[in-house]
Amino acid sequence: SSFGVLDFTSGGGREYLQTQFRNCEKYGMQLPDSASECVDGIAGDICQNGSRSALSPESIWSDFGQAIYKARDFFVHDVRGRFRGNNTWFRSRCILGAEQSSECLVIPHGSPGRYEHDDKKDPNYGHVVDDQEIGLILPRDIEPRTHKVTVGGGTGPARVMVGVIINGRQEIVDPFDVRHWNGRYQAKENNVWVNAEFGTMLYQLIDANGGPFRKPLPENEVSLPKPFHLVPASTVEGPAAVFVYIPEHSKDHYNLIKMVASFEFSVTSQVAVETNYKKQKNKDQYCAAIALKLNGKLSNTWNCGRAWTVNGGNNNNGAGLVWYSESPKAQPTQWIRTLVVGLSMARGQGQGALTVVAATACMDKHAMQTCSTIKIQDENSMSLEDRNTSVIAKAVLMEIISEMACQFRVYHRGYPQRLLVYRDGLSDGNFPAAASEIDAIRQAFYNLRSSSEASFQCVNAEECKGKGCKFCTPTITFISCQNDHGIKLVPKDDSQGVRGRGNRAPTNVHSGTVVDHTIVEGMQNLAVENDDEGSVSGAGPNLPLFARIETSSYDFLLTPQGGLKGTSKPVYYRVLLNENDIYDFSGGTRLDRDSLEALTYQLSFLYSTATKATRSVPVVHYSSSLANQAMGWLGHLVHSGKVTCERNEDGETEFLRVDSAGIQSKQLLPGFAPYDPNDPQDTRPAFRPCGLICAKAKKG
C-alpha cells in the first residue's frame, strides 16, 4: 500500500516508475491513492537520490534508511498534505495487540481530529520520528469508534463518515469507501468504485453497544474531535516495499541492498537495473515481470497477498491442494491445520566455517502466503557426532520450528495438526542423523504447548517423558529432497515426450512425470522407519490408525518442470518418516504415496515469481535462496559487529543480531518471523513493519 524509492541513477528512475506503477495497477496490485498519476510529484517527495559512483555498504545503508524515512513522512505522516488535500486517508495495516493486525486509515498530525502541536522531527535527518502517537480509523466490524467529539456540552464517541455526491444524489459512506484515484474522487456504491464529488465530513454518534444513534452531524456542528485510537506511529506499516533503481547489474551491489533491506530494515525490496530497462524493446513486459516478483514478495501474512491458487484437491469439490487443503470429514467447513516447512542450508568453506540455516513455511490454506527465518550455527552448536555433517543442530532447529509454529498460531489461532517437512541438502550418509532432527521438531512443539497451555499434559506422559511424541505433537512427514544425483529420466521414444527449443534439442519427459518403482530405494532400507503399533508399550492410549495398506516404498522421482533447454533432471524425494499415512488424529484422509506425489507436484506450481512449475517445491526454493543470500552477508555482518556470537549456559554458540540501538536479539531477520523464543507469548504477525514496536492501541 506504500513504497519508498531509492535512485542511484541521478534522477533516471522517473520514467521507470511511471511504467512500473502502470503495470502494477494493470495486474491488480493495490497502490496508494493517486500514486500512478503523480509520479513526478511523488518522486520529488519520497525519492532518495543516492550517489551513482559511491555504492559502498555505508552509503547504501544510509540512503536506504533515508528512503524509508521519506516514504513514512509522505504516507504515514502526510507531511505534504496530499491525502488531507484530497479528503482521503492513507490506507495501511497496523498492529493492535500481540496477535492481531488490521487494515487501518491513518489520522496524522495537523488536520481536523488530529493534533494541534507540530510534528516532532529527528534533529539529525529532519524526518518525523515514529515514537509519537497518531490516530487510527479501524474497520467498523473491529471498532466502530474513530473519534471523541463534543456536542451540546457533552462528549462521546463517534465514527467519522464522508458525505459524497454520486450522480446528483447525496450519499453518506464509510471512510474506507472513498479514495482519490486517477485524478478523480471515488466512492463505493454497491461494492463498486464509482466517480463522486466530495461533500463534507460528518460524525455519526455511537452508543454504548457500538451502534449508531441520531443522524450523522456535519463537522461544523461538533467541536474538539480527537482520535479515539492512539498508537505509536511505528506500529503502522510503511513502506510495504522499497524500489531500488541501480545503473548497472552488479551482484555485489544487489547483495548489499538485500542485506540492508532484510537484516536492518525488515522491508521488502525490489531492484531494477537501468541498463536492462533502457535496452528493452517492450518496457511494459520488463515491468510486468518485476510486478510479478513484487506481488510474490508481498504474498505474506502481513500484506495478505496471494498471487494465485491451485485447484484439484481431494476435498471441497476439488478445490485447493491434494490432502493439504482438505477439511475434517465431520466438519466440512473447517480446515485441518497443516504446516508445510522447507529447510535448507548454506555452508561456508573450510574447517570450522559457519553454516546458515534458512526455513520457509506456508501459512495459508492455499500455500501461497509464507514466512521465513534464518539461523547461524557452527561446530559448537552441534553434538560431537553431528559435526562436519549436514545436520541441523537441535537447538537451532527447535528455534526455527518454534518461530514457524507461532506464526502459524497467529494466523490461524491454533497450532498445526499435521506437519510436512521438505528437507534440502541431506545426503544418504546423514539419514541416520535425521532422527535427531525429527526429535528436535517434536521437542519444539512439546515446549510450545507446555508453555502456552496451562492445562497441557500428554496423555502418553509415561513414555513421552517431556520430549514430545505422536500423541502431543503434530503427525510428521519428513522428506529429504535430493538434487545432486546422477539420475535422468528420458522418454522411451520421441513420440512419448516433449521436444525442447531448437532443432537439436533433446526430447524430455512431460511435466509431472513421476517414477516410484524399479530404480528407487524402498523406505524399509532407510534408518528412520514408520512405527505402526496400535498402542504404546501395550498399556498406553490407543493410536487411531488408518486402514493399513502395505506400501513398500514412499520414495519417488518427480520432474515437475517442463523441459525448455537441455535434459530435465528430476528431484529425488526420500521419505524418511510418514506418520500422516498411518495415524488418523485429525479426521482427514491419509497421505499415501499417490497423494504425496500429487501434492508435491501441485506445490511446484506455487512459486510466486514463475508462471510455470519449478523443479523444487517453493518452500525449498525460497529457503535455499535465502540461505545463500545470508551466507553472502555473513562475513560483513560478523566483522562489522552487527552479528555477534556468545556461549549460552549449555556451552553452545548463539548468534545474535545487534540493532542500531545496540540491543541484541536472536531474530536475525526481525521482519520475517518476529517471535521471541524466550517468551512464547510474544508473537506478532509475520512481516511486521519496519522497526515495529508491538503495542496495544491506546484509547484516549
Side-chain angles (χ1 to χ4, degrees):
S1 60
S2 59
F3 55 88
V5 179
L6 178 53
D7 186 0
F8 287 105
T9 65
S10 304
R14 293 193 178 187
E15 178 191 349
Y16 158 71
L17 284 175
Q18 287 177 325
T19 310
Q20 187 63 67
F21 290 159
R22 184 173 64 249
N23 280 273
C24 287
E25 285 184 352
K26 178 181 177 182
Y27 293 104
M29 296 180 66
Q30 183 178 352
L31 295 176
D33 294 358
S34 307
S36 59
E37 77 272 9
C38 56
V39 169
D40 289 339
I42 286 182
D45 291 333
I46 71 172
C47 181
Q48 172 68 20
N49 292 311
S51 173
R52 187 182 187 118
S53 58
L55 283 170
S56 65
E58 293 75 17
S59 66
I60 290 177
W61 210 286
S62 175
D63 288 333
F64 204 99
Q66 286 299 302
I68 290 178
Y69 294 143
K70 283 189 173 184
R72 290 189 66 80
D73 281 356
F74 183 87
F75 291 107
V76 178
H77 301 288
D78 196 20
V79 295
R80 301 298 182 186
R82 189 176 294 273
F83 295 96
R84 183 169 63 251
N86 290 331
N87 295 298
T88 59
W89 296 266
F90 169 57
R91 187 186 302 253
S92 185
R93 293 189 67 82
C94 65
I95 282 185
L96 301 180
E99 296 189 10
Q100 185 180 8
S101 64
S102 171
E103 187 177 16
C104 68
L105 303 178
V106 177
I107 308 174
H109 301 265
S111 70
R114 306 180 192 191
Y115 289 95
E116 281 84 34
H117 62 266
D118 293 333
D119 288 330
K120 184 177 170 185
K121 301 293 184 67
D122 182 278
N124 296 320
Y125 299 102
H127 59 81
V128 181
V129 297
D130 280 336
D131 62 354
Q132 58 190 343
E133 292 180 327
I134 59 176
L136 293 183
I137 299 174
L138 300 174
R140 182 182 288 273
D141 59 342
I142 294 178
E143 175 53 77
R145 298 165 294 187
T146 64
H147 292 79
K148 294 177 70 174
V149 299
T150 301
V151 181
T155 301
R159 184 172 185 83
V160 66
M161 304 293 286
V162 184
V164 298
I165 302 173
I166 302 175
N167 296 326
R169 306 186 319 273
Q170 293 185 351
E171 303 285 350
I172 299 176
V173 298
D174 193 79
F176 281 89
D177 293 336
V178 295
R179 69 178 184 178
H180 194 268
W181 197 255
N182 292 328
R184 293 179 177 273
Y185 200 78
Q186 292 187 332
K188 271 189 177 181
E189 184 179 37
N190 298 324
N191 211 33
V192 176
W193 290 105
V194 296
N195 293 332
E197 296 180 28
F198 172 75
T200 184
M201 293 291 181
L202 305 103
Y203 291 91
Q204 173 72 67
L205 300 181
I206 302 296
D207 62 23
N209 297 321
F213 74 96
R214 296 178 57 178
K215 65 179 182 179
L217 301 175
E219 58 182 338
N220 59 4
E221 295 185 18
V222 303
S223 58
L224 302 176
K226 294 184 178 180
F228 189 85
H229 282 278
L230 300 177
V231 299
S234 57
T235 61
V236 176
E237 183 199 42
V242 175
F243 291 95
V244 184
Y245 197 52
I246 58 178
E248 56 189 8
H249 177 73
S250 168
K251 188 174 182 180
D252 291 339
H253 294 159
Y254 178 85
N255 288 335
L256 276 172
I257 291 166
K258 292 300 179 182
M259 176 190 70
V260 171
S262 299
F263 182 82
E264 178 66 17
F265 297 104
S266 305
V267 65
T268 297
S269 61
Q270 182 57 60
V271 178
V273 181
E274 183 182 39
T275 54
N276 292 350
Y277 173 75
K278 288 188 173 180
K279 72 181 182 182
Q280 299 292 323
K281 293 182 180 179
N282 187 346
K283 292 181 171 57
D284 283 332
Q285 186 176 15
Y286 176 81
C287 291
I290 290 180
L292 179 66
K293 293 181 180 180
L294 183 62
N295 188 47
K297 294 173 183 178
L298 296 177
S299 293
N300 53 59
T301 55
W302 177 259
N303 291 290
C304 299
R306 184 177 293 116
W308 53 74
T309 59
V310 171
N311 291 331
N314 53 354
N315 202 2
N316 302 327
N317 298 319
L321 299 162
V322 169
W323 185 76
Y324 176 83
S325 301
E326 70 178 359
S327 303
K329 298 171 185 176
Q331 297 175 299
T333 60
Q334 301 297 315
W335 175 52
I336 302 176
R337 299 189 301 273
T338 305
L339 180 64
V340 176
V341 179
L343 297 170
S344 190
M345 303 175 71
R347 188 169 185 174
Q349 296 181 349
Q351 187 174 4
L354 299 179
T355 300
V356 175
V357 183
T360 299
C362 298
M363 292 286 108
D364 70 322
K365 184 177 179 179
H366 301 281
M368 284 297 294
Q369 297 174 356
T370 62
C371 68
S372 303
T373 190
I374 61 171
K375 300 292 177 185
I376 303 171
Q377 68 180 34
D378 65 359
E379 290 184 351
N380 293 321
S381 305
M382 310 176 70
S383 61
L384 291 175
E385 59 270 18
D386 289 340
R387 294 182 181 181
N388 299 317
T389 68
S390 55
V391 176
I392 303 175
K394 181 177 181 179
V396 171
L397 185 55
M398 285 176 61
E399 285 188 12
I400 288 175
I401 295 300
S402 296
E403 292 177 8
M404 301 293 101
C406 283
Q407 293 308 315
F408 191 91
R409 187 188 71 186
V410 170
Y411 196 95
H412 295 289
R413 298 293 185 265
Y415 288 120
Q417 299 164 275
R418 307 184 298 192
L419 182 66
L420 174 57
V421 179
Y422 288 97
R423 172 68 159 88
D424 186 31
L426 198 63
S427 62
D428 288 20
N430 295 133
F431 282 171
S436 66
E437 295 189 3
I438 295 172
D439 291 342
I441 293 172
R442 292 197 194 280
Q443 185 72 68
F445 276 104
Y446 181 89
N447 292 349
L448 284 175
R449 291 196 61 188
S450 61
S451 61
S452 61
E453 301 176 20
S455 59
F456 168 73
Q457 184 177 5
C458 180
V459 297
N460 188 41
E462 184 177 347
E463 296 292 332
C464 181
K465 297 179 180 178
K467 297 181 179 180
C469 65
K470 55 181 70 72
F471 287 97
C472 58
T473 62
T475 48
I476 300 172
T477 296
F478 193 94
I479 306 172
S480 172
C481 312
Q482 296 184 338
N483 294 286
D484 298 328
H485 56 77
I487 303 174
K488 290 186 178 181
L489 304 178
V490 294
K492 187 175 181 179
D493 56 67
D494 289 352
S495 63
Q496 296 178 345
V498 179
R499 182 175 291 278
R501 296 174 180 174
N503 296 330
R504 303 182 63 181
T507 301
N508 283 299
V509 296
H510 288 276
S511 170
T513 298
V514 64
V515 174
D516 55 16
H517 57 85
T518 308
I519 61 173
V520 296
E521 293 188 54
M523 187 181 63
Q524 65 271 19
N525 295 328
L526 305 180
V528 182
E529 299 181 354
N530 280 331
D531 175 11
D532 59 356
E533 296 180 2
S535 63
V536 179
S537 299
N542 291 326
L543 288 168
L545 302 178
F546 287 111
R548 194 67 183 145
I549 300 176
E550 294 298 331
T551 302
S552 60
S553 171
Y554 289 88
D555 298 352
F556 60 96
L557 292 156
L558 176 63
T559 308
Q561 76 275 22
L564 299 179
K565 186 177 181 181
T567 302
S568 299
K569 188 177 180 181
V571 176
Y572 196 177
Y573 291 96
R574 313 293 295 276
V575 184
L576 305 187
L577 181 69
N578 189 11
E579 293 177 345
N580 288 296
D581 188 33
I582 302 174
Y583 306 116
D584 183 16
F585 284 102
S586 58
T589 59
R590 63 191 312 154
L591 185 62
D592 56 18
R593 184 175 62 187
D594 292 341
S595 296
L596 180 58
E597 292 168 359
L599 173 60
T600 304
Y601 178 55
Q602 290 180 353
L603 287 173
S604 301
F605 283 89
L606 297 180
Y607 187 62
S608 58
T609 60
T611 56
K612 302 180 184 299
T614 55
R615 183 166 176 250
S616 300
V617 291
V619 288
V620 169
H621 200 97
Y622 295 145
S623 298
S624 177
S625 176
L626 184 59
N628 288 319
Q629 270 190 22
M631 179 55 70
W633 315 333
L634 196 53
H636 172 77
L637 294 175
V638 171
H639 287 100
S640 63
K642 297 183 185 299
V643 167
T644 184
C645 60
E646 295 181 356
R647 293 287 182 91
N648 61 19
E649 57 186 14
D650 297 325
E652 299 171 335
T653 303
E654 290 184 338
F655 290 85
L656 306 174
R657 173 182 182 268
V658 183
D659 65 14
S660 56
I663 300 175
Q664 294 182 342
S665 170
K666 290 184 179 182
Q667 291 306 318
L668 300 180
L669 296 180
F672 284 70
Y675 156 74
D676 183 359
N678 297 319
D679 182 7
Q681 299 299 321
D682 182 16
T683 53
R684 306 158 197 170
F687 288 86
R688 60 180 178 169
C690 165
L692 197 64
I693 301 172
C694 183
K696 292 186 177 180
K698 183 177 180 181
K699 299 178 181 179

